[in-house]
Amino acid sequence: MKFRSTRDRKEQTELSFVDAVFEGLAPDGGLYYPLENYDLRKILQNMPDSISFIELATELTQLLFHDEFTKSESRELCTAAFPFSPKIRELDKELLLLELFYGPSCAFKDFGASYLAEIMSRELEKQGRKIVILVATSGDTGSAVAQAFYKKKNIEVAILYPSQRVSRLQELQLCALKENIHAFEVRGSFDDCQRIAKEAFLDVEFSQSYSLSSANSINIGRLIPQTFYYFYAWKRLQNFHDWLFCTPSGNFGNLTAGLLAMCWGMPVQHFIAATNKNKIVPEYLETGVFHPRASLPSPANAMDVGNPSNFERMLQLFKHSVKAMSDVLYGAWADDEEIYRELRAVYEKTGIYICPHTAAGCSGARQVLQALRNSTRYRRAVVLATADPGKFLDTIEKATNSRPELPERLSKFLTIEKKSYKIEPDLSSLQSAFSAIL
Ligand SMILES: *Cc1c(COP(=O)(O)O)cnc(C)c1O
């Protein structure tokens, strides 16, 4: 499998998977996308329906990257990356949840971050090289990356987060691990953190002397393993012909992974793209006008994105045709009140807590199923449940007047001492901290 940048208009450069992973963002500013459309349909059909997630991930890694990994490397990679797996749970007559929050940070981002960390550390070991991963976070990405890279050999991780603008639990997830995970508490906003990270990568001397690398969500190494759980759900549910996937979306990485799975032979024809009130993509599907703008805060805050970064990959997959994209995607969105209402309704009906992002997905799925009832075969949806409800106690309490349990793998952080390096919101402050620590 080879990869090319979305901005390589002359179609000149092809990279291997491992090279695309270490590049992160292409030098022309584009995102890497896969060039081949393997048809995995036959192979999928021949797999046993009860196949385990690790087994499926191993087979897919081998099928996609047989030119880069041996069979036993694929197996070792997936066994190390996925000590957790997705679960399917029935919510009611029309909705199933594909629960993706059993990894260490309790959100689906663990799948991508963990696979990426394993690939990078294995490759660095082979090359006898060390790198420093630099990421800016507003909360969730940082904790998935910190957990995934924790104690990985040949890799130090520097995380920039805005002082006093992340929750206490989020901060502890970044600052309590220590070892090779270094948390930098920036006296500024998330935008300051992103700017400093960008300046650090652009400062060639600094960036080369530390071998800076990125692990942010546009990395193709995070997208690929997200295709695996779509295949897994499809395999488990293949006796349903009347269902749709529904993906709660912000930067649209998760949905793009579903589209890749479709390109590689997963026999589904449509997806629901669900957002909160940051409805840039549902609007595009309806009007054909892409109008990125400042994001609005919502209770589903990991989806508060006004300019979705993976939209560029989606355009590439659909050859820049609005019609082609809107033939496959049904858009739907939920405002704040609707998110609270759905969360409460699900809890009252089933006793199950769902996170606010999953609630936006459930609401979107219900809206689309209702609208399609008379014109299509679709009667049910599999909603991707993106995070453990325990991460959003205040929102859930506001909606239901009760509180879910905090999972043990998060509550353990509340008792560990925090360690961070306070820095001013400028590159030189980060540089002096680096020379003191790394
Ligand atoms: C990141 C995130 C999302 C949005 O996923 P995208 O791939 O950016 O569309 C949804 N829910 C949760 C809990 C997240 O952390």
Side-chain angles (χ1 to χ4, degrees):
M1 176 71 80
K2 293 280 185 266
F3 294 82
R4 177 175 289 144
S5 164
T6 48
R7 297 190 190 172
D8 182 1
R9 296 268 177 270
K10 291 186 188 145
E11 309 199 336
Q12 282 174 325
T13 312
E14 291 181 4
L15 268 73
S16 71
F17 179 50
V18 169
D19 287 345
V21 161
F22 278 95
E23 283 273 336
L25 193 68
D28 58 14
L31 311 185
Y32 289 111
Y33 67 95
L35 287 176
E36 277 120 307
N37 277 348
Y38 290 139
D39 188 358
L40 306 180
R41 183 176 305 213
K42 249 221 173 81
I43 294 162
L44 283 167
Q45 246 135 23
N46 289 334
M47 289 176 184
D49 291 350
S50 60
I51 191 164
S52 71
F53 184 73
I54 288 190
E55 208 52 51
L56 185 92
T58 302
E59 293 226 15
L60 290 168
T61 298
Q62 187 56 33
L63 287 164
L64 297 171
F65 307 124
H66 54 83
D67 50 345
E68 292 179 69
F69 305 135
T70 65
K71 181 114 199 177
S72 69
E73 282 173 335
S74 300
R75 178 165 301 281
E76 282 166 26
L77 165 64
C78 293
T79 309
F82 303 122
F84 50 90
S85 58
K87 289 186 189 163
I88 295 170
R89 183 204 283 247
E90 187 166 328
L91 202 56
D92 52 39
K93 280 209 195 71
E94 61 178 359
L95 302 186
L96 296 170
L97 296 181
L98 176 60
E99 296 181 330
L100 302 173
F101 47 73
Y102 296 101
S105 82
C106 299
F108 80 87
K109 292 189 174 72
D110 288 328
F111 285 91
S114 192
Y115 193 79
L116 177 70
E118 283 299 329
I119 288 175
M120 283 184 155
S121 70
R122 272 151 212 275
E123 187 61 24
L124 291 168
E125 183 78 38
K126 270 193 221 162
Q127 298 177 1
R129 209 156 63 85
K130 289 189 189 332
I131 58 167
V132 176
I133 299 274
L134 177 64
V135 283
T137 185
S138 55
D140 274 353
T141 301
S143 56
V145 168
Q147 298 273 1
F149 285 90
Y150 182 48
K151 291 189 177 172
K152 285 277 175 291
K153 275 198 269 175
N154 305 311
I155 303 178
E156 300 290 323
V157 178
I159 298 176
L160 307 178
Y161 73 94
S163 184
Q164 296 176 5
R165 301 204 196 176
V166 301
S167 74
R168 185 168 108 84
L169 179 61
Q170 279 178 330
E171 182 172 32
L172 286 168
Q173 284 181 275
L174 306 175
C175 299
L177 290 171
K178 308 181 184 101
E179 304 265 350
N180 65 329
I181 309 297
H182 312 282
F184 295 88
E185 184 174 349
V186 177
R187 292 192 183 91
S189 64
F190 171 57
D191 292 336
D192 290 319
C193 298
Q194 275 197 307
R195 176 181 46 79
I196 299 168
K198 206 168 187 178
E199 287 171 8
F201 284 111
L202 290 174
D203 183 327
V204 177
E205 199 188 316
F206 178 66
S207 158
Q208 286 183 350
S209 70
Y210 285 96
S211 297
L212 284 193
S213 220
S214 106
N216 62 20
S217 60
I218 50 89
N219 195 303
I220 189 72
R222 287 179 52 168
L223 212 56
I224 298 290
Q226 293 179 229
T227 65
F228 301 165
Y229 47 69
Y230 284 93
F231 285 114
Y232 178 79
W234 174 79
K235 193 68 208 166
R236 288 291 160 111
L237 302 172
Q238 56 177 311
N239 49 340
F240 294 96
H241 293 286
D242 56 352
W243 58 269
L244 278 162
F245 278 111
C246 173
T247 310
S249 298
N251 272 316
F252 283 78
N254 217 359
L255 183 74
T256 302
L259 296 172
L260 287 178
M262 180 180 75
C263 293
W264 296 338
M266 180 174 69
V268 304
Q269 284 83 42
H270 300 100
F271 292 84
I272 302 171
T275 67
N276 58 24
K277 68 188 169 213
N278 295 285
K279 54 181 167 141
I280 322 297
V281 171
E283 217 172 65
Y284 170 80
L285 295 169
E286 204 178 302
T287 64
V289 181
F290 185 65
H291 177 44
R293 48 198 185 261
S295 68
L296 304 168
S298 87
N301 58 5
M303 290 159 54
D304 295 346
V305 179
N307 190 4
S309 54
N310 275 288
F311 191 68
E312 194 164 324
R313 279 198 181 103
M314 292 164 65
L315 284 175
Q316 181 70 45
L317 287 174
F318 290 109
K319 313 238 174 337
H320 294 264
S321 154
V322 191
K323 169 145 190 344
M325 198 189 293
S326 52
D327 280 350
V328 170
L329 298 182
Y330 299 113
W333 62 283
D335 63 16
D336 296 0
E337 203 179 317
E338 173 59 18
I339 289 173
Y340 285 117
R341 194 206 55 74
E342 176 68 32
L343 220 163
R344 179 167 51 244
V346 165
Y347 178 68
E348 281 173 359
K349 222 163 54 184
T350 65
I352 296 171
Y353 292 108
I354 54 176
C355 90
H357 312 84
T358 308
C362 290
S363 164
R366 291 189 208 282
Q367 295 171 44
V368 170
L369 288 172
Q370 181 64 32
L372 298 179
R373 173 134 287 197
N374 297 323
S375 55
T376 67
R377 66 177 189 278
Y378 296 121
R379 296 293 176 269
R380 311 182 77 184
V382 180
V383 179
L384 277 66
T386 52
D388 190 294
K391 294 183 91 170
F392 306 93
L393 293 174
D394 296 342
T395 306
I396 290 180
E397 186 161 26
K398 192 168 160 192
T400 66
N401 280 321
S402 65
R403 286 164 85 86
E405 294 268 323
L406 192 61
E408 203 274 324
R409 53 201 192 291
L410 292 184
S411 63
K412 69 175 186 207
F413 283 103
L414 296 172
T415 57
I416 311 178
E417 204 183 326
K418 154 187 164 183
K419 180 175 171 197
S420 71
Y421 303 94
K422 288 216 170 81
I423 64 167
E424 297 305 319
D426 53 56
L427 181 60
S428 62
S429 190
L430 181 72
Q431 287 170 326
S432 24
F434 260 47
S435 56
I437 311 164
L438 295 170

